[in-house]
């Protein structure tokens, strides 16, 4: 099958687009509603995101919202603290009980019939993408453009569930084991600032400090500038500086 420069370029492009859509829209938009967009663009970006073969926004958001509710407790389906590294990294979603969507977590999303349709036929976008790659570039383009890039995206996505709860630093005293990890932040376009995120999940940006690179946030600002998204929610200064937690500790001591 071999390799060629065009195949590598498509692999890199596929990786970058997939990571951005998963982090910017599957996570920050569908799961946490940190900004707003039109219904048409919501549908379009859903189809693009599903080409990464991580199922539909409904499935993704439902499981992620459950993770935040029960983070690092026994009910957290991918907690390395509770279930070990392997299960938290990829074992949890291979279980039959985690195949469905708990609609109680995504009542705001199931009102869109087009999203429900995509969830029902979640195999279609990646299948169409694979067919296009094969048609225009043959087996080599299919392998590098879809399979290699998809496996790479899988690993960095899963690492947020596993590695980001085991390796890194903790700026904020959250109730879970979330950690900030700079190299994961690079690979995932900003998701590696996981302790920041668990400290204030409703923020559209996860790199709270100027030196915390958050490529997804920068790209979302570009989309905002051209009018595709709006009302980006940012953390207030007292959240970043953790004065809320300091005031709580002072009150408890008094």
């Amino acid at each position: 099958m071999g390799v060629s420069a065009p195949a590598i370029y498509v692999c890199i492009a596929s990786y970058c687009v997939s990571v951005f859509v998963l982090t910017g829209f599957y996570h920050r938009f569908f799961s946490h509603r940190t900004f707003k967009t039109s219904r048409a663009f919501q549908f379009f970006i859903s189809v693009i995101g599903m080409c990464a073969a991580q199922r539909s926004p409904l499935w993704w958001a439902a499981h992620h919202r459950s993770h935040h509710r029960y983070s690092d407790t026994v009910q957290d389906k991918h907690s390395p603290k509770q279930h070990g590294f392997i299960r938290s990294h990829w074992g949890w979603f291979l279980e039959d009980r985690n195949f469905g969507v708990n609609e109680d977590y995504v009542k705001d999303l199931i009102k869109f019939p087009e999203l429900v349709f995509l969830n029902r036929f979640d195999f279609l976008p990646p299948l169409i993408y694979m067919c296009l790659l094969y048609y225009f570039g043959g087996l080599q383009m299919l392998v590098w453009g879809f399979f290699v890039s998809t496996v790479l995206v899988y690993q960095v996505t899963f690492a947020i569930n596993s590695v980001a709860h085991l390796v890194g630093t903790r700026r904020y005293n959250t109730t879970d084991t979330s950690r900030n990890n700079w190299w994961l932040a690079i690979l995932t376009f900003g998701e590696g600032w996981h302790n920041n995120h668990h400290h204030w999940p409703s923020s559209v940006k996860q790199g709270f400090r100027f030196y915390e690179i958050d490529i997804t946030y920068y790209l979302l600002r570009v989309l905002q500038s051209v009018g595709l998204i709006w009302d980006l929610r940012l953390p207030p200064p007292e959240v970043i500086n953790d004065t809320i937690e300091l005031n709580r500790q002072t009150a408890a001591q008094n």
Side-chain angles (χ1 to χ4, degrees), residues 177-192:
T177 62
S178 59
R179 298 173 183 276
N180 288 335
N181 186 304
W182 68 268
W183 57 267
L184 266 183
I186 300 298
L187 294 174
T188 60
F189 294 3
E191 299 294 286

Side-chain angles (χ1 to χ4, degrees), residues 30 38 50 84 125 141 160 172 176 193:
F30 286 112
S38 67
M50 290 175 70
M141 191 65 71
I160 299 301
Y172 302 108
D176 49 60
W193 309 117

